[in-house]
Every structure is written in structure tokens, then in C-alpha cells.
Amino acid sequence: MKAYLLRAGLVSLALGVSLAASDGRAQPAAGGAAPGGDAAVARALKPLPKKEKEAPKLTKKTTVRFQTTAGELVIEVYPEAAPNAAKRFVDLVQAKYYDDTPISRVVPGFVAQFGVNWRDPHKAWKDRNFNDDPSYYQLERGTLAFAKSGANSNSTQVFINYAENNRLADPQYNFTVFGKVVTGMDVVDKFARVGDPSGGLDQDRLWNDGAAYLASLPAKPTMIVRATVE
């Protein structure tokens, strides 16, 4: 199955497979109490216009650290913002799904996308979709959402917004913010742009034989070396 990230009238190739394995350390579950109290977490995301009364209060977070070949970034995941998406993302990080995978699509001013792992057993998650969450929060610069091809088709690929993309929260799209980069957006800005200017790397080739495909590229993508829950 392929998934697509819809962009203002354009359909741009965008989804992947996810899951990763624990490194043996005790890991907090998504939805753990937020260190430092509720106030900082409550201000972490901005509600969408006209969604201020509907947006759930944010009181919890899970922190995820990404080591990439461009540098390090820290992501906060907010389970109350989008419970299904937050749980899947943390589960995948704990399963080591994102380790040694490429940032497969970089569109300056729009998004950076990742989440294709062609290796067994991770590839089995490609078609394990989860249901949409309601979209309550703004898709501001640095926020994260899952890519999908339609309703309830979220799987493993995630995008980081380079700019405000609130149009993606419109009901016909319903992309849902579940977290944001709190440290390292300067690193995200340095992600290598490879492949098609809009679509990035060839998804079919990545899924079928990612190692050989990456080896054949004259210009290499930024790689996620390791992702961990803290």
C-alpha cells in the first residue's frame, strides 16, 4: 500500500512502515507525567483557529531523541493531543523501527518525511494502519504528524513541518499533530534534499530493496542513526 501527503491541490508521494525494538532499558509509556509540571506542556502546542474550546488540555509528554547524520534533535510527544498517533510513534521508537532509516523526502518550506524500513521484521508493519485522531492543534513549524493516503490509513511514515501548514488540518485531509521538535530544528533545516524535488526518494525501491537503492544514489540522504525514548 502507498500513502500520500496531500498538499494544497497536489498529491505528493508520502507514507511508510514502522516499528522498532527496545534497547533493554526501561522505557516510559506514552502519556507519562510531564517533568516540570503541567504549565510548560499546556503551552506546547497552539489550538487550531475555532478549536480552542475543543482542544484537550495537554498535561503529559514523552521525550524522544533522534541521532541523525546531520545532528541531534529532541521531540516531545503529547498523548492527549492525538492518542493513537502518539502511541504508535512511541511504540515504533521503542521497537527501533526508525534506526538506520533515511529522511526520504525533504521539501523546503513544506515538510521533511521519514519512516520507511524495508528490513524484516519491520516491513511487516507497512500495512498495519491505525485510526485517525481528531485534528485540534496547529501544524506549525517543527510539529509532527503521520502521513497517510486517506481516512484511517496512518501507518509509519511521519513528517516534520518546515512552516505553518494548517491547511492540512482541513476536514478533507485531517492530518493531526501529535508532537514537535523542541531542540534541533536547525538540524532539520540541514536534512539533505534527495530524489524528486517534490516526492523525494522512490518509495517502491526503498521498500523493495532499500540498502541497494541507497547505495546506488550519488547523493545520500540524511540518515536516522538511532531513536530512543528518554
Side-chain angles (χ1 to χ4, degrees):
M1 185 194 78
K2 293 180 181 178
Y4 299 84
L5 176 58
L6 305 177
R7 181 185 181 186
L10 297 177
V11 182
S12 301
L13 189 59
L15 182 68
V17 160
S18 71
L19 187 61
S22 172
D23 61 1
R25 296 181 298 172
Q27 305 284 11
D38 293 349
V41 176
R43 297 191 298 268
L45 302 176
K46 293 181 182 179
L48 287 160
K50 301 181 181 180
K51 293 288 185 74
E52 292 87 353
K53 293 183 179 179
E54 299 175 58
K57 182 179 179 181
L58 303 182
T59 65
K60 303 173 183 178
K61 71 176 181 181
T62 298
T63 301
V64 172
R65 188 176 300 271
F66 271 40
Q67 301 284 348
T68 80
T69 53
E72 181 178 281
L73 52 144
V74 177
I75 296 165
E76 288 183 354
V77 178
Y78 309 108
E80 292 146 325
N84 295 333
K87 182 179 187 306
R88 171 60 65 90
F89 185 71
V90 172
D91 284 350
L92 297 177
V93 172
Q94 289 178 326
K96 297 190 180 299
Y97 174 85
Y98 294 118
D99 291 9
D100 196 25
T101 62
I103 307 296
S104 59
R105 180 182 181 219
V106 175
V107 183
F110 185 40
V111 300
Q113 187 170 313
F114 60 90
V116 175
N117 194 331
W118 56 91
R119 306 171 185 91
D120 291 328
H122 303 307
K123 189 174 181 178
W125 287 83
K126 181 180 180 182
D127 298 319
R128 296 183 184 181
N129 298 339
F130 65 90
N131 289 340
D132 291 346
D133 295 290
S135 188
Y136 292 119
Y137 290 97
Q138 295 189 37
L139 286 88
E140 293 188 303
R141 173 174 164 83
T143 57
L144 287 83
F146 274 86
K148 59 182 179 176
S149 59
N152 303 316
S153 63
N154 313 273
S155 179
T156 63
Q157 287 201 57
V158 170
F159 61 91
I160 302 171
N161 289 290
Y162 276 123
E164 181 260 287
N165 288 316
N166 284 348
R167 66 189 179 280
L168 298 178
D170 290 349
Q172 67 266 38
Y173 306 141
N174 193 45
F175 288 97
T176 305
V177 167
F178 66 85
K180 73 174 182 179
V181 176
V182 294
T183 303
M185 270 306 292
D186 58 327
V187 173
V188 178
D189 288 335
K190 293 187 291 185
F191 286 170
R193 190 179 190 187
V194 292
D196 180 84
S198 178
L201 297 179
D202 185 311
Q203 298 248 327
D204 288 335
R205 293 185 68 183
L206 269 181
W207 283 117
N208 291 331
D209 192 355
Y213 177 40
L214 293 181
S216 74
L217 296 173
K220 306 302 182 185
T222 301
M223 298 293 291
I224 300 169
V225 178
R226 187 176 184 224
T228 55
V229 175
E230 300 195 331

